Amino acid sequence: MDIQVYKYKIKETFNNAAEGYDKPALRFFLSAAEHLARSMRFAGNEHALDMATGTGSVALACAQRLGAGHVTAVDLSEKMLEKAKINAHKQQISNLDFLCLDMEVSNFSDDTFDAACCGFGIFFLPDMVAGLKSITKHVKPGGAIGISSFTGAIMEPLLQKFIERIMTYRVVMPSLSWKRLDSAEKIHALYQSAGLERLHTRIYQVGYHLAGFEEWWDILWYSGFRGILSQLSSSDLTRFRQAHQKEIQLLVKEQGIWLNIEILISVGYKPV
Ligand SMILES: C[S@@+](CC[C@H](N)C(=O)[O-])C[C@H]1O[C@@H](n2cnc3c(N)ncnc32)[C@H](O)[C@@H]1O
């Protein structure tokens, strides 16, 4: 696929998802952001870069730890950024600014930032090594570069059921991008290729029970999966939803539906 078309599709997907991206069903993004921000081990006065900020969860978690510092947050989707600005305002956090940019073509000067992070964003880049190298260029020597990703067990068995059913419709199934970085070994290889050192990766379980099918649907509808569902006609979407609801209801237990979310938090450093 042409790279501009690919970027346009990502932007469209997240522009459409922005409205509900912060719904309670997707609160794992908030816990993940806290883990990533904590792992950055800020002193408190740094200027940090947050790439693919989305609705700002990582940027805000970092900004809270940077009482004497600042966060510059970047995203491709203007609708996600609108939400990020509202979130910052609601939380009365003002030591950050938001820029609508493609992180692959952002032209910050070399060594501008003390640290950089990217929550669930690197795996969207067609060339992850070039992308990570370019983020690294913006960071001062010795600075931390932190990312998050998901393990292969994410949202199983719900996700497998979704994929098996949606494949019975005429949709173009994109590759599940996070699978490019679903293990510590893959992340290690990426960091090494980008010339980073002292990498450490930790795995956290940030899952919880969903109240029912509606919450699972919120996750599908207000995240990257929206791009697949958007390919269905409205009648197919109704048919799909009904059939998928029936199979997901079978997984409801006393506490609800278990949403398994295992995340990888990795931090490495630019050599001095
Ligand atoms: C799954 S969301 C993650 C948002 C946030 N970092 C978090 O942890 O909740 C992925 C975000 O990456 C953004 N994105 C994808 N490719 C991008 C690019 N090339 N430049 C900037 N943002 C990008 C999307 O617009 C989307 O907001």
Side-chain angles (χ1 to χ4, degrees):
M1 189 192 297
D2 174 78
I3 229 157
Q4 289 318 315
V5 175
Y6 171 72
K7 291 274 167 80
Y8 177 78
K9 279 181 188 284
I10 291 182
K11 189 181 166 108
E12 271 295 289
T13 296
F14 284 100
N15 272 344
N16 288 329
E19 183 201 346
Y21 188 86
D22 295 330
K23 281 195 172 249
L26 291 90
R27 63 190 179 274
F28 59 85
F29 282 120
L30 293 178
S31 335
E34 284 298 323
H35 283 301
L36 179 52
R38 201 183 52 238
S39 304
M40 297 299 288
R41 298 179 186 216
F42 292 121
N45 59 353
E46 293 93 332
H47 184 187
L49 174 66
D50 179 33
M51 291 297 209
T53 196
T55 59
S57 51
V58 175
L60 288 163
C62 291
Q64 276 178 324
R65 289 167 167 81
L66 294 171
H70 193 87
V71 179
T72 295
V74 167
D75 203 278
L76 202 55
S77 155
E78 62 273 16
K79 297 273 186 219
M80 293 291 270
L81 288 173
E82 274 170 26
K83 288 281 177 188
K85 286 176 198 164
I86 294 170
N87 288 339
H89 184 73
K90 275 191 198 153
Q91 293 177 42
Q92 299 183 316
I93 297 175
S94 56
N95 56 334
L96 74 180
D97 58 301
F98 294 102
L99 300 172
C100 193
L101 281 177
D102 178 346
M103 68 168 132
E104 287 191 293
V105 293
S106 55
N107 53 356
F108 301 110
S109 308
D110 291 1
D111 303 350
T112 300
F113 299 95
D114 298 296
C117 14
C118 184
F120 307 112
I122 288 286
F123 46 65
F124 287 111
L125 300 179
D127 185 340
M128 296 192 293
V129 175
L132 192 56
K133 275 186 180 165
S134 129
I135 295 174
T136 304
K137 262 177 72 173
H138 307 320
V139 174
K140 293 174 188 163
I145 290 121
I147 66 164
S148 53
S149 188
F150 298 109
T151 72
I154 182 196
M155 299 186 196
E156 294 302 357
L158 306 177
L159 193 54
Q160 192 55 34
K161 296 213 176 288
F162 167 72
I163 291 169
E164 277 169 13
R165 184 157 299 279
I166 198 98
M167 292 289 278
T168 64
Y169 291 74
R170 219 176 287 154
V171 292
V172 180
M173 190 70 191
S175 57
L176 299 174
S177 41
W178 72 85
K179 296 215 165 174
R180 299 164 76 201
L181 284 184
D182 64 0
S183 69
E185 290 72 29
K186 288 182 189 172
I187 296 171
H188 191 86
L190 169 67
Y191 268 64
Q192 251 190 343
S193 307
L196 294 165
E197 58 185 26
R198 293 190 284 135
L199 174 70
H200 57 90
T201 295
R202 282 193 65 181
I203 297 181
Y204 298 92
Q205 172 61 255
V206 293
Y208 39 83
H209 284 91
L210 298 170
F213 175 76
E214 291 302 327
E215 284 208 327
W216 170 238
W217 190 258
D218 278 348
I219 291 173
L220 296 174
W221 195 243
Y222 295 117
S223 68
F225 301 116
R226 177 69 162 266
I228 310 171
L229 289 169
S230 301
Q231 297 175 39
L232 299 178
S233 66
S234 64
S235 56
D236 275 354
L237 184 61
T238 307
R239 216 155 46 88
F240 172 81
R241 195 189 141 112
Q242 279 169 355
H244 189 46
Q245 181 163 11
K246 274 193 193 145
E247 63 193 348
I248 296 299
Q249 300 287 27
L250 299 175
L251 301 174
V252 179
K253 299 264 159 49
E254 207 181 320
Q255 295 155 289
I257 307 170
W258 173 245
L259 181 72
N260 188 52
I261 309 272
E262 257 180 25
I263 57 164
L264 296 140
I265 300 285
S266 304
V267 180
Y269 295 84
K270 180 169 174 171
V272 178

